[in-house]
Amino acid sequence: MAFPAFFDACTLYGIRLTDLVLRLADAGAFRALWSDGVLDEVRRNVVGAGVDPSRIGSRIRAMQRFFPDATVTGYEALTAAMTCDPKDRHVLAAAVRAKADVLVTFDVRGFPEASIAPFDVEVVHPDDFLLDQLDLFPGVVTRVLLELAEDYDDPPLTIDDVLEDLRRAGVPRFASDVRRYL
């Protein structure tokens, strides 16, 4: 069974990064996890950025449909015991409840070592997470990226376009390093 990785809302915000993460999970590289609280945060932030609420609603429903076991529940009672940044406590509580090996977030500073030390979860930046996936599964990662580029047709995207989008989305080392496999 693939290792469990919990995703913070900030990693599921941008469409290109989200698409890559979900496709890698679908390919079996890891088991993607999130909570309703995380998905609510994604919804609020995307709508706040001006995206039509029905579009983000469709994306979230598709995530829930294609990954029916990804939503972590029963973590709420743990939230008060978390000592990380108060706005991130629900995230760490859900990751702990899910027994996630990693919590993937751009906000690594929101989870100081002292707050995660009692739990068996590592907090990693999405760039580091994707670089690990590339090291572990170079064939899967490159195949998924090529398929991702092929599937975009409005507007059409090349693999270079996808990698540039990923670089701008906050995973520049991954976007650069993956080129050696293409």
Side-chain angles (χ1 to χ4, degrees):
M1 178 167 209
F3 77 95
F6 190 91
F7 290 86
D8 195 357
C10 55
T11 61
L12 300 173
Y13 176 80
I15 190 62
R16 221 62 88 219
L17 183 57
T18 301
D19 202 357
L20 175 59
V21 164
L22 296 178
R23 287 173 185 241
L24 288 173
D26 189 49
F30 52 86
R31 179 174 173 232
L33 299 167
W34 50 71
S35 66
D36 284 337
V38 162
L39 295 180
D40 288 344
E41 201 174 321
V42 169
R43 183 180 290 109
R44 279 193 313 275
N45 289 330
V46 171
V47 169
V51 173
D52 180 345
S54 66
R55 290 185 62 205
I56 187 59
S58 294
R59 183 191 339 165
I60 289 173
R61 283 188 301 279
M63 290 168 63
Q64 293 168 321
R65 185 175 60 252
F66 286 106
F67 298 93
D69 297 330
T71 303
V72 177
T73 60
Y75 64 88
E76 295 81 4
L78 299 173
T79 303
M82 300 296 124
T83 60
C84 59
D85 187 307
K87 69 178 178 46
D88 294 319
R89 290 180 180 166
H90 71 101
V91 174
L92 182 57
V96 168
R97 172 76 167 121
K99 296 180 173 71
D101 290 340
V102 296
L103 189 166
V104 185
T105 183
F106 283 103
D107 183 24
V108 293
R109 290 182 310 199
F111 301 91
E113 181 59 34
S115 71
I116 61 170
F119 312 106
D120 193 19
V121 63
E122 179 183 3
V123 175
V124 297
H125 190 280
D127 211 10
D128 296 317
F129 179 77
L130 290 172
L131 284 168
D132 287 345
Q133 300 314 299
L134 182 60
D135 286 343
L136 292 168
F137 310 108
V140 171
V141 172
T142 55
R143 177 181 51 80
V144 164
L145 282 166
L146 291 168
E147 288 171 358
L148 195 148
E150 287 174 11
D151 287 348
Y152 282 102
D153 57 9
D154 189 23
L157 296 179
T158 66
I159 188 65
D160 288 331
D161 295 331
V162 170
L163 293 175
E164 177 58 19
D165 286 350
L166 290 168
R167 185 194 65 75
R168 285 194 312 261
V171 291
R173 290 180 300 131
F174 170 77
S176 175
D177 201 35
V178 76
R179 289 181 188 278
R180 68 186 164 114
Y181 294 98
L182 295 172

